[in-house]
């Protein structure tokens, strides 16, 4: 029985990972958070003090790097659990920086494509529908307003009340990263021609997951036929 693949692309805090996780649980598929791979690259480069514009050094570093993403969502970098460490703000911006280098992308995309060969993957990132899995049966371009996304990031990361100035700072960071990701030369974040846009600004996680399940239904019926 051939399983389908589902590609979810979109900007930061659109809800890609949360929804991919729910869908994976529901369908018995594997969720692959490709952003975690760029974050591991950034984290290791920062730790080793590698010049972030030295593409050859970064590619060489990656060739000696093992990244394991477990079904439970744990991220293991060269044998160490870095799930928490790679979510730091500095790592987010650095991930976006190293992700603009085509050599880095080539190395990580090859790994992602190899993993998804068997089907049954829900992959989320920036270039899944356009580059990594252009043949994916279901492609979603998930988005939400910068304001909604900044609120979500803050609620995710802090328990205290959210001030206007915190919100403005995070919104600015989000817009900077969006700009960097959509304007780079190598595989910029953009909607695949055949992807369906899902604006989640006013949608709950469950409503979004249900909308994608509906898109996948015809393919899943074929899968079970
Ligand atoms: O993976 P991505 O950066 O696109 O977003 P995420 O990590 O899945 O979601 C960021 C935060 O927004 C999480 O805390 C989600 O629970 C929350 N979220 C939400 O409140 N409503 C949605 N419709 C989607 C995500
Ligand atoms: O969690 P969040 O949505 O904020 O970011 P992420 O998905 O963990 O990705 C971190 C950074 O890696 C992004 O800002 C992109 O620059 C890069 N990335 C990419 O270029 N291609 C992917 N398939 C996934 C992430």
């Amino acid at each position: 029985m051939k399983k389908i693949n589902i590609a979810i692309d979109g900007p930061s805090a659109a809800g890609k990972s949360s929804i991919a996780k729910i869908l994976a649980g529901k369908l018995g598929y594997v969720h692959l958070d490709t952003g975690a791979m760029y974050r591991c690259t950034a984290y290791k480069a920062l730790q080793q003090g590698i010049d972030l514009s030295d593409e050859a050094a970064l590619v060489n570093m990656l060739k000696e790097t093992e990244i394991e993403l477990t079904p439970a969502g744990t991220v293991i970098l060269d044998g160490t659990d870095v799930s928490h460490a790679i979510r730091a703000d500095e790592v987010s911006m650095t991930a976006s920086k190293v992700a603009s280098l085509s050599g880095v992308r080539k190395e990580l995309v090859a790994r992602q494509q190899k993993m998804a060969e068997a089907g049954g993957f829900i992959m989320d990132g920036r270039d899944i529908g356009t580059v990594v899995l252009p043949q994916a049966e279901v492609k979603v371009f998930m988005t939400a307003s910068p304001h909604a996304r900044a609120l979500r990031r803050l609620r995710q990361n802090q328990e205290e009340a959210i001030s206007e100035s915190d919100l403005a700072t995070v919104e600015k960071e989000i817009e900077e990263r969006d700009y960097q990701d959509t304007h780079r030369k190598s595989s910029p974040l953009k909607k695949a021609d055949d992807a369906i846009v899902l604006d989640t600004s006013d949608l709950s996680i469950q409503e979004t997951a249900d909308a994608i399940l509906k898109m996948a239904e015809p393919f899943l019926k074929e899968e079970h036929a």
Side-chain angles (χ1 to χ4, degrees), residues 132-154:
V132 182
L133 300 176
Q135 312 298 339
E137 283 80 357
V138 177
K139 292 188 191 179
V140 177
F141 191 81
M142 196 178 285
T143 183
S145 69
H147 183 77
R149 292 189 282 126
L151 255 182
R152 287 175 187 170
R153 268 288 175 258
L154 276 166

Side-chain angles (χ1 to χ4, degrees), residues 12 16 34 39 96 99 105 126-127 153 177 181 184:
S12 180
K16 304 179 299 297
T34 61
R39 286 175 180 273
S96 176
R105 303 201 69 81
R126 303 292 187 286
D127 59 341
R153 268 288 175 258
R177 192 139 63 91
D181 289 347
R184 66 181 177 222

Side-chain angles (χ1 to χ4, degrees), residues 34-52:
T34 61
M37 300 174 82
Y38 291 91
R39 286 175 180 273
C40 282
T41 309
Y43 178 77
K44 187 167 176 181
L46 287 169
Q47 293 268 306
Q48 298 198 342
I50 295 177
D51 175 356
L52 299 173

Side-chain angles (χ1 to χ4, degrees), residues 58-171:
L58 287 165
V59 171
N60 282 337
M61 178 200 85
L62 265 183
K63 291 198 189 295
E64 307 284 310
T65 299
E66 250 183 66
I67 301 171
E68 191 197 338
L69 307 175
T70 75
T74 306
V75 183
I76 314 278
L77 171 62
D78 297 328
T80 302
D81 182 346
V82 293
S83 316
H84 186 68
I86 59 165
R87 302 288 155 196
D89 286 344
E90 189 193 12
V91 180
S92 307
M93 277 316 278
T94 308
S96 176
K97 194 162 184 194
V98 298
S100 68
L101 302 170
S102 59
V104 168
R105 303 201 69 81
K106 200 172 158 209
E107 179 70 29
L108 294 182
V109 166
R111 294 186 194 195
Q112 292 154 8
Q113 288 176 329
K114 194 153 196 294
M115 285 187 243
E117 259 167 12
F121 274 77
I122 301 167
M123 246 192 227
D124 81 280
R126 303 292 187 286
D127 59 341
I128 312 302
T130 50
V131 177
V132 182
L133 300 176
Q135 312 298 339
E137 283 80 357
V138 177
K139 292 188 191 179
V140 177
F141 191 81
M142 196 178 285
T143 183
S145 69
H147 183 77
R149 292 189 282 126
L151 255 182
R152 287 175 187 170
R153 268 288 175 258
L154 276 166
R155 285 196 188 121
Q156 188 177 30
N157 297 332
Q158 86 179 37
E159 277 168 17
E160 317 88 73
I162 292 166
S163 71
E164 279 302 317
S165 90
D166 285 350
L167 191 57
T169 306
V170 173
E171 204 169 321

